[in-house]
Amino acid sequence: MDFEGIPGVGEKTAAALAQLDDPETALKRGDVLRLSSAPGITEGRAASIARAAIREQHGDPGRFLATSRARELYADTLSLLQQRTVTTYAKKRLETLFPSSKRSRIDEVRAFVEVATEREPTPEVLDALSAVEPLVNPRGVRVRDRCLATMDAETYASAKEAIPELSVEIVDDARRLGDLARGYATVIALDEEFAGVDIDGDVQVKPDALDNVVEIVPERTLSFFATNRERLQAAIRVHRAAGMKPPAGLDLDALEAGLARLNDDGTVKGDDELERLTAAANDLDAAVSMAENVANDCLREAIQARDVTIEGSDLLSLVEQGAGVDSLLSRELADEYDAAIEAARDHLVDSLSLDAGEEEVGRMIFGEEPTFPVGYQEQVVNRLREDLTVARDRRAARRKREVARELAGLTEAVDELVFASLELDVELAIARFVADFDCVMPELSGEGFAIEGGRSPLLDVSFEDVEPVDYAVSGVTLLSGVNSGGKTSTLDLCAVIVILAHMGLPVPAEHARVGLVEELHYHAKTQGTLDAGAFESTLRDFAGLVTGEAKKLVLVDELESITEPGASAKIIAGILEALDERDASGVFVSHLAGEIRDAADYTVAVDGIEAVGLVDGELVVNRSPQKNHLARSTPELIVEKLAAEGDATFYGRLLEKFEA
């Protein structure tokens, strides 16, 4: 894959992506966390790369969110989705969902959502997801009891790259190979020339070793599964709780059993014989010392219990012969000594659980010749230690290879297992969003938009308390209404629904139809009158709206605040005329709707959010805009109320001014 063909990816970033395992799949999946594991790529940069790759695939120019306010609303809406994730992966993965002008991308996401909304976010599934994380490759795995050896420099380089866990040595001849065998438990020769050479030590000639990594260094596989054990166990729980099918060929019970055979450091557990040999080798010195104490205690008790009488002539003879206590023991306490030695041997054998072959050597540790105190033969102890260590290491190596063989074939499947679990979190976040905000999939057709029962999820009130809004726009429309009547909130709702629809996601409404556009231009209300320079810049921005071929939806909130009301009405009227000529769609919120309509050279549609009255000084508003209706202002409502309650002559005259 040509990574530099992705917009925004240069030579350095492309080289970093190439270091990943299967970067093409990571880009296709939008796997932000895996992409961010490449050298020098942050999570934010990874999300940007993933979005760029998706846009490149669908030919999306990426200009949909054309203004800062549009981008703010997208970020706020995306945040609502991210708040419903459990894993970091899902939170980052959702960043690859963005509004697009391309139907192929929208349909791709809609198909994903169709599956997602069938998911059930049960507490059991969400709890299991909390422990799922992307799999990691353990670093720093080193095996020091064996090495690779070769006479060939090219083979040496290949071995260093293929099996970094082992030391690789250059040897010139069999003598050098023998030297290595004295320093390592096992030496694996990679050159066929060494076949048949007689060398002391465990030297294995395996020219194909680099193609059989699991056999040569099973620790790599075992360390991978041990490091990721909790992640895999959590993914297993997720699949079971959610009733998901595991990847093809993966038996969850078998995987669980394989993980149960590993210690945290990647060594194998659950093998009674290996555990016996390990314990025996570790406890040998202590067991010998204890057995020695047993023999001496037995012999001491025997001596204390016996009266030994020696005739003078016998004593003189023993002295003349240089005899000592050992001779006395042999002559007077031979049976007792034999019993003490036998007790020591039995204790040693029993405490170490020695098998028949090991017992034969173990009993030789305490000799037949009487001594007091009883001692042991160090050479025999060392021999037994070597026998136990060799047996242990061979057993451990064999078990490592057996378990590694079983697990190695599952590496690709377990990656899919965890990925499916993490993707489930993405799906559940969407399902929870849809449920929490009563969303429906919008119809994508026609011009402008039509919303029935729409409720904004961004208001600072409980969603259940949000009043539903019905509103439909085709072409360019002025939206009038009283202060605090909900004009800006309505505009935000329209923008959110349009953004979600172009993301391929359901929208918070009972029903919605959205016409696809290439750009969304949302201009928020300006705070205060602009100076000459800022005013000029704003006009340049609006000039850009009426040029180019891109299909646009324009939402503008109280543009009249940029300058004097009289000039504003004329400017807005001119903008509406230009947009109407382009058959664009849009909504302009304004308190100057009447003046703008009068200044325009075509019939401008005017809708109104009407206040139906005042109760205790608070407006009572019909939040759904009325079509073709210029809403009354708040001052007019107050004057009308006063006219009905007080001086009808004075207030009536004022009211006539509004009706003129």
Side-chain angles (χ1 to χ4, degrees), residues 563-575:
T563 188
E564 296 87 350
S568 294
K570 296 173 183 177
I571 291 169
I572 295 172
I575 294 172

Side-chain angles (χ1 to χ4, degrees), residues 271-286:
D271 184 322
D272 293 340
E273 176 62 7
L274 178 57
E275 291 176 1
R276 182 192 69 81
L277 289 167
T278 301
N282 292 340
D283 299 343
L284 178 59
D285 289 335

Side-chain angles (χ1 to χ4, degrees), residues 136-144 163-167 217 219-220 223-224 227 265:
V136 296
N137 288 316
R139 300 184 182 278
V141 177
R142 294 291 298 172
V143 180
R144 305 188 185 281
I163 309 181
E165 296 89 348
L166 302 184
S167 294
V217 58
E219 291 86 355
R220 177 186 296 180
S223 181
F224 171 81
T227 299
D265 61 357

Side-chain angles (χ1 to χ4, degrees), residues 188-269:
I188 300 164
L190 303 177
D191 306 307
E192 200 166 349
E193 289 83 347
F194 288 117
V197 175
D198 186 18
I199 300 174
D200 291 338
D202 184 11
V203 177
Q204 304 172 15
V205 181
K206 295 186 176 183
D208 62 345
L210 302 186
D211 297 323
N212 295 279
V213 174
V214 173
E215 296 294 322
I216 302 304
V217 58
E219 291 86 355
R220 177 186 296 180
T221 299
L222 300 180
S223 181
F224 171 81
F225 280 90
T227 299
N228 292 293
R229 178 167 53 189
E230 291 185 5
R231 292 170 166 86
L232 292 172
Q233 290 170 334
I236 291 171
R237 292 197 302 274
V238 167
H239 275 67
R240 287 175 174 161
M244 298 168 62
K245 290 183 179 179
L250 180 60
D251 184 323
L252 296 183
D253 292 336
L255 173 60
E256 211 166 30
L259 295 173
R261 291 198 292 270
L262 296 178
N263 291 306
D264 291 342
D265 61 357
T267 55
V268 177
K269 64 180 179 180

